[in-house]
Amino acid sequence: ASRLAGAAAAAAAAVDHCATALAGTLFAALGAAFPTLAAAHGAAELRRVIAAVTPALQREAAFSLAVHPSLAATAAAALAPLTAAHPAVPQIVADPAMAPGDVRLLWPGGSAERDAGAVWQEIAAVLHPAGQPAAPDRTE
């Protein structure tokens, strides 16, 4: 009976170890894919950020919007309705240091940012207490 109990305990430990290893592998795969996913959906996220802050921007005479160069034309198109209807003068900064899909808006009364690296860190913080290893930095 004690051999059977020992075998059951060893099997349970092996299953737990395998489950933890599998979860870690899945977490690492998601972390590796996250920058690509963020970039692929960057244009849609840019439009959402602009739509969300449009009420604040309507009151501003000028503001700046920084994006990866691949999104500069999308940013200009997304801002066109705002600038046509209001006197806002946007400065679009094509910043190659920003990750594709990241957006930073600055105006005298505030700011808004979509930072995929910060989003990944929040995901990792939620998953880490569930027994996952500390998240790799996915800001590239």
Side-chain angles (χ1 to χ4, degrees):
S2 67
R3 283 175 110 188
L4 190 54
V15 167
D16 185 54
H17 173 74
C18 289
T20 300
L22 178 59
T25 300
L26 292 173
F27 186 67
L30 177 61
F34 194 79
T36 301
L37 291 170
H41 298 282
E45 289 296 316
L46 168 63
R47 288 188 289 272
R48 285 186 196 103
V49 169
I50 290 172
V53 299
T54 293
L57 295 177
Q58 290 174 345
R59 296 184 296 270
E60 300 298 333
F63 59 91
S64 69
L65 180 137
V67 294
H68 186 270
S70 66
L71 289 176
T74 301
L79 289 170
L82 172 67
T83 57
H86 300 341
V89 178
Q91 176 190 10
I92 298 174
V93 178
D95 184 351
M98 292 185 72
D102 285 358
V103 180
R104 185 175 49 252
L105 278 150
L106 301 170
W107 63 93
S111 66
E113 185 171 25
R114 185 221 185 246
D115 179 345
V119 171
W120 174 251
Q121 291 305 316
E122 289 180 27
I123 291 169
V126 168
L127 294 178
H128 184 68
Q132 298 312 307
D137 183 13
R138 295 291 173 203
T139 57
E140 65 272 355

